[in-house]
Amino acid sequence: MSELKNDRFLRALAHQPVDRTPLWIMRQAGRYLPEYRATRAKAGSFMDLCRNAELACEVTMQPLARYDLDAAILFSDILTVPDAMGLGLYFVTGEGPKFERTVRSEADLKQLATPDPEDELGYVMNAVRTIRQELDGRVPLIGFAGSPWTIATYMVEGGSSRDFANIKGMMYGNPELLHRLLDKITQSTIAYLKAQIAAGAQAVMVFDTWGGALSPENYQIFSLQYMKKIVAALPKEADGRAVPSILFTKNGGQWLESMAEAGSTGLGLDWTTNLADAKRRVGDKVALQGNLDPSALYAPPAAIRTEVQKVLESFGTGSGHVFNLGHGIHQHIDPEHVSALVEAVHELSPAYHS
Ligand code: CP3
């Protein structure tokens, strides 16, 4: 494989000196880009786009063609895993993801397959290999998966949920069944992420979008514990380079101390946590990624620049920070506003690195 030409992202995660703060954007390949919408239309559906390695590669590269970003992220979805476990994923416009089958009983659990990542999920590994080739060492490629808890919410509810009625009913009423489900998802996710790394992913991120809906005690038991198992099972090195891991629990700011003990290289933060506080609380144990409010991108460029400055200032000087939004970019953001964000990070962040 070719030499990595831009390793700022990996260096920042390792707390090694960088010339400026590295930057990528959650959901950087997505509907705010007209070229994404065109490729998606050509593919037919979102899942057809994910299943086609050439097209998945094309959309992965689109944000990098427009902006000087420091990492690429595999174009796929966290719900490919429960789909491969046999639940039948589909998307309804305006309603988000749905499953044909749910997991609410012992019998449902027994039906679940443990997918072979190079078989049922082979299309993801093909995308990883195709993207690595196309990147040709320009920036590192991030692989990812959902946290077992977050994946379980979709499997039990059958789609997106506001109150998590079914999974919380299971959590309080039959915790043992939920633990067996989480364990199955954890085993599938470990195999999936290991395969992504073997196929060429140079860092991995675990998205725990719904961990913040748990009580502090249940967060430890039903979410963090399983993410810890995933991190512990992953290879720490591939191709002679460290493979960093990032854990992101949306609304997880109150649990940073215990998250920092989970063994990952970095933690992703949303905008409800102050970076300076976070840094004080976790010390040098983990690097931090985030955390501009994605809605700041609705504002004009001058205001975006001010907000970028505030994020940089709150982390302060030194390595250990990866600039990102605090959650995925919204679909109605003007791509020109993203240019303003990228320019601001490029121009303002060198002052924080000597
Ligand atoms: O960051 C990236 O650019 C990589 C691609 C990526 C997608 N989804 C592409 C996508 C990643 C990392 C995800 C993760 C994901 N998917 C999460 C965790 C992160 C988060 O945002 O909290 C979750 C909860 C999902 C499940 C999911 N997939 C939802 C809720 C939706 C949105 C449905 C909708 O209609 O708004 C998706 C679909 C999806 N995944 C899209 C993209 C670009 C939009 C689909 C489209 O093109 O129609």
Side-chain angles (χ1 to χ4, degrees):
M1 288 260 189
S2 54
E3 271 308 296
L4 195 51
K5 292 159 196 135
N6 170 353
D7 64 353
R8 268 187 207 101
F9 168 74
L10 299 178
R11 294 183 63 84
L13 285 170
H15 283 96
Q16 292 164 354
V18 285
D19 56 343
R20 63 167 175 77
T21 307
L23 158 74
W24 69 280
I25 298 166
M26 284 195 266
R27 290 269 177 104
Q28 64 193 23
R31 287 173 292 194
Y32 74 104
L33 291 177
E35 57 271 34
Y36 169 83
R37 297 193 298 268
T39 309
R40 188 187 177 289
K42 189 164 76 183
S45 72
F46 173 71
M47 281 311 289
D48 289 334
L49 179 51
C50 292
R51 288 199 177 98
N52 182 319
E54 298 303 321
L55 294 183
C57 176
E58 185 178 307
V59 294
T60 300
M61 300 303 291
Q62 284 170 349
L64 297 164
R66 270 190 189 250
Y67 313 114
D68 187 3
L69 299 163
D70 299 296
I73 181 162
L74 161 69
F75 188 83
S76 189
D77 198 81
I78 63 168
L79 300 178
T80 54
V81 171
D83 181 55
M85 291 172 87
L87 293 191
L89 172 66
Y90 62 102
F91 284 84
V92 182
T93 312
E95 287 179 54
K98 299 258 187 228
F99 284 109
E100 282 161 21
R101 291 167 288 282
T102 56
V103 183
R104 296 188 186 165
S105 68
E106 194 75 40
D108 297 337
L109 185 70
K110 281 216 180 77
Q111 297 276 314
L112 289 178
T114 305
D116 175 344
E118 282 291 356
D119 184 1
E120 293 95 320
L121 290 161
Y123 65 93
V124 178
M125 307 312 146
N126 290 338
V128 171
R129 287 183 280 262
T130 307
I131 296 163
R132 270 298 300 274
Q133 198 140 39
E134 186 67 27
L135 278 171
D136 194 28
R138 180 172 154 193
V139 290
L141 175 63
I142 305 168
F144 68 90
S147 77
W149 163 258
T150 292
I151 295 297
T153 67
Y154 289 96
M155 294 175 82
V156 175
E157 301 297 337
S160 302
S161 174
R162 265 173 211 282
D163 52 7
F164 305 107
N166 294 290
I167 194 168
K168 287 201 171 175
M170 188 192 286
M171 179 174 78
Y172 291 110
N174 191 355
E176 192 265 339
L177 181 64
L178 179 54
H179 277 302
R180 279 193 289 140
L181 172 59
L182 290 167
D183 203 60
K184 251 192 178 169
I185 301 167
T186 301
Q187 296 317 317
S188 299
T189 303
I190 288 170
Y192 183 56
L193 287 176
K194 277 186 173 170
Q196 286 187 30
I197 292 168
Q202 290 150 298
V204 293
M205 177 151 166
V206 178
F207 288 91
D208 186 28
T209 309
W210 303 119
L214 290 165
S215 69
E217 186 192 345
N218 285 335
Y219 174 69
Q220 301 286 332
I221 301 172
F222 292 97
S223 185
L224 188 59
Q225 183 194 175
Y226 291 97
M227 292 198 283
K228 237 184 232 184
K229 285 185 189 172
I230 293 171
V231 170
L234 297 180
K236 297 285 167 272
E237 228 186 75
D239 266 338
R241 244 194 128 123
V243 181
S245 54
I246 301 169
L247 297 183
F248 171 62
T249 292
K250 175 105 194 306
N251 282 314
Q254 54 179 323
W255 305 313
L256 288 184
E257 288 84 355
S258 49
M259 292 182 74
E261 301 290 344
S264 73
T265 323
L267 297 181
L269 297 177
D270 67 53
W271 60 98
T272 62
T273 299
N274 175 278
L275 274 179
D277 282 342
K279 195 178 172 186
R280 206 164 25 246
R281 289 164 58 198
V282 303
D284 280 345
K285 262 184 215 147
V286 285
L288 298 173
Q289 174 175 281
N291 68 344
L292 181 68
D293 181 350
S295 296
L297 297 180
Y298 289 115
I304 292 169
R305 193 177 173 92
T306 305
E307 296 307 313
V308 166
Q309 176 78 65
K310 286 186 199 164
V311 171
L312 292 169
E313 185 61 33
S314 79
F315 185 84
T317 54
S319 189
H321 180 212
V322 173
F323 200 103
N324 205 317
L325 302 180
H327 200 198
I329 186 169
H330 301 165
Q331 64 171 309
H332 300 298
I333 295 300
D334 180 346
E336 285 300 316
H337 290 200
V338 177
S339 300
L341 165 73
V342 174
E343 238 168 68
V345 174
H346 286 187
E347 290 172 16
L348 300 172
S349 73
Y352 296 90
H353 304 275
S354 46

